[in-house]
Protein backbone atom coordinates (compact mmCIF):
# COMPACT_ATOMS: atom_id res chain seq x y z
CA UNK A 1 0.00 0.00 0.00
CA UNK A 2 1.34 3.42 -0.95
CA UNK A 3 1.46 5.90 1.85
CA UNK A 4 -0.06 9.32 1.39
CA UNK A 5 2.84 11.63 0.43
CA UNK A 6 1.72 14.24 2.96
CA UNK A 7 1.89 11.62 5.73
CA UNK A 8 5.34 10.55 4.51
CA UNK A 9 6.61 14.15 4.63
CA UNK A 10 5.16 14.70 8.11
CA UNK A 11 6.78 11.47 9.34
CA UNK A 12 10.13 12.62 7.93
CA UNK A 13 9.72 15.99 9.64
CA UNK A 14 8.74 14.25 12.88
CA UNK A 15 11.91 12.13 12.72
CA UNK A 16 13.97 15.33 12.28
CA UNK A 17 12.24 16.95 15.26
CA UNK A 18 12.73 13.85 17.42
CA UNK A 19 16.46 13.86 16.62
CA UNK A 20 16.96 17.26 18.24
CA UNK A 21 18.45 16.81 21.70
CA UNK A 22 19.78 20.21 22.71
CA UNK A 23 17.73 23.34 23.30
CA UNK A 24 18.69 26.93 24.07
CA UNK A 25 16.19 27.18 26.90
CA UNK A 26 13.38 25.37 28.65
CA UNK A 27 10.92 27.57 26.73
CA UNK A 28 12.40 26.51 23.39
CA UNK A 29 12.21 22.86 24.46
CA UNK A 30 8.55 23.27 25.47
CA UNK A 31 7.73 24.85 22.09
CA UNK A 32 9.57 22.00 20.36
CA UNK A 33 7.57 19.38 22.27
CA UNK A 34 4.38 21.26 21.39
CA UNK A 35 5.32 21.16 17.71
CA UNK A 36 6.04 17.42 17.92
CA UNK A 37 2.61 16.86 19.47
CA UNK A 38 0.97 18.96 16.76
CA UNK A 39 2.71 16.98 13.99
CA UNK A 40 1.71 13.66 15.60
CA UNK A 41 -1.89 14.86 15.82
CA UNK A 42 -1.83 15.93 12.16
CA UNK A 43 -0.50 12.55 11.09
CA UNK A 44 -3.24 10.84 13.10
CA UNK A 45 -5.92 13.01 11.49
CA UNK A 46 -4.66 12.28 7.99
CA UNK A 47 -4.46 8.55 8.72
CA UNK A 48 -8.04 8.59 10.00
CA UNK A 49 -9.19 10.32 6.82
CA UNK A 50 -7.26 7.82 4.69
CA UNK A 51 -8.73 4.87 6.60
CA UNK A 52 -12.32 6.00 6.05
CA UNK A 53 -11.97 7.66 2.65
CA UNK A 54 -12.71 11.15 3.94
CA UNK A 55 -11.44 13.90 1.66
CA UNK A 56 -11.88 17.62 1.08
CA UNK A 57 -15.07 16.92 -0.88
CA UNK A 58 -16.71 14.98 1.93
CA UNK A 59 -19.83 16.55 3.41
CA UNK A 60 -19.52 17.25 7.13
CA UNK A 61 -22.68 18.20 9.03
CA UNK A 62 -23.11 19.08 12.69
CA UNK A 63 -26.15 17.66 14.46
CA UNK A 64 -28.23 20.51 15.87
CA UNK A 65 -28.15 21.27 19.57
CA UNK A 66 -31.32 20.35 21.39
CA UNK A 67 -33.32 22.10 24.08
CA UNK A 68 -33.06 19.10 26.42
CA UNK A 69 -29.70 17.62 27.50
CA UNK A 70 -31.50 14.26 27.81
CA UNK A 71 -32.35 14.22 24.10
CA UNK A 72 -30.20 12.06 21.82
CA UNK A 73 -30.08 11.04 18.18
CA UNK A 74 -30.17 7.41 17.06
CA UNK A 75 -29.38 5.94 13.68
CA UNK A 76 -32.20 3.91 12.18
CA UNK A 77 -32.80 1.89 9.05
CA UNK A 78 -36.21 2.91 7.80
CA UNK A 79 -36.96 -0.38 5.97
CA UNK A 80 -38.56 1.58 3.12
CA UNK A 81 -41.33 2.70 5.47
CA UNK A 82 -42.39 6.12 6.70
CA UNK A 83 -43.88 4.43 9.78
CA UNK A 84 -41.43 4.61 12.71
CA UNK A 85 -42.83 1.32 14.05
CA UNK A 86 -41.14 -0.43 11.10
CA UNK A 87 -37.77 1.20 11.63
CA UNK A 88 -34.82 -0.71 13.07
CA UNK A 89 -32.02 0.86 15.04
CA UNK A 90 -28.59 0.49 13.44
CA UNK A 91 -26.14 -1.28 15.73
CA UNK A 92 -22.45 -0.38 15.31
CA UNK A 93 -20.03 -3.20 16.07
CA UNK A 94 -22.56 -4.74 18.45
CA UNK A 95 -23.32 -1.51 20.31
CA UNK A 96 -26.06 1.06 20.32
CA UNK A 97 -24.60 4.47 19.58
CA UNK A 98 -26.31 7.62 20.77
CA UNK A 99 -25.41 10.92 19.17
CA UNK A 100 -25.70 14.35 20.79
CA UNK A 101 -26.12 17.85 19.44
CA UNK A 102 -22.77 19.03 18.11
CA UNK A 103 -21.66 15.56 16.97
CA UNK A 104 -20.48 15.29 13.37
CA UNK A 105 -22.03 13.31 10.55
CA UNK A 106 -19.61 12.70 7.67
CA UNK A 107 -20.73 11.64 4.21
CA UNK A 108 -17.97 10.45 1.89
Amino acid sequence: MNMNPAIEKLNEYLAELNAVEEFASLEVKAEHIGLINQIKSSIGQLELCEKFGINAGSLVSVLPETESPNFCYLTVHENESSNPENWEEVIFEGQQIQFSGGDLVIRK
Side-chain angles (χ1 to χ4, degrees), residues 4 6 20-21 30 42 45 66 74 80 85 93 103 106 108:
N4 177 316
V20 176
E21 295 179 356
S42 296
Q45 290 169 13
T66 62
L74 298 174
E80 299 180 4
E85 291 178 10
E93 297 178 0
D103 285 350
I106 302 171
K108 297 193 276 184

Side-chain angles (χ1 to χ4, degrees), residues 3-17:
M3 183 178 283
N4 177 316
I7 295 173
E8 282 184 26
K9 287 291 184 190
L10 286 171
N11 276 319
E12 290 170 10
Y13 184 44
L14 184 59
E16 290 174 20
L17 291 173

Side-chain angles (χ1 to χ4, degrees), residues 14-88:
L14 184 59
E16 290 174 20
L17 291 173
N18 282 325
V20 176
E21 295 179 356
E22 294 183 23
F23 303 94
S25 68
L26 191 56
E27 182 179 287
V28 171
K29 183 175 182 176
E31 288 176 10
H32 187 82
I33 291 170
L35 181 58
I36 287 172
N37 289 336
Q38 188 176 12
I39 298 299
K40 285 180 178 180
S41 178
S42 296
I43 291 168
Q45 290 169 13
L46 286 171
E47 288 173 341
L48 183 69
C49 289
E50 287 280 308
K51 178 179 178 180
F52 292 104
I54 301 167
N55 59 54
S58 297
L59 175 66
V60 178
S61 301
V62 180
L63 291 174
E65 294 294 340
T66 62
E67 292 182 23
S68 169
N70 299 324
F71 182 87
C72 70
Y73 293 95
L74 298 174
T75 305
V76 298
H77 182 268
E78 64 178 12
N79 290 319
E80 299 180 4
S81 171
S82 58
N83 184 350
E85 291 178 10
N86 297 327
W87 296 355
E88 295 177 47

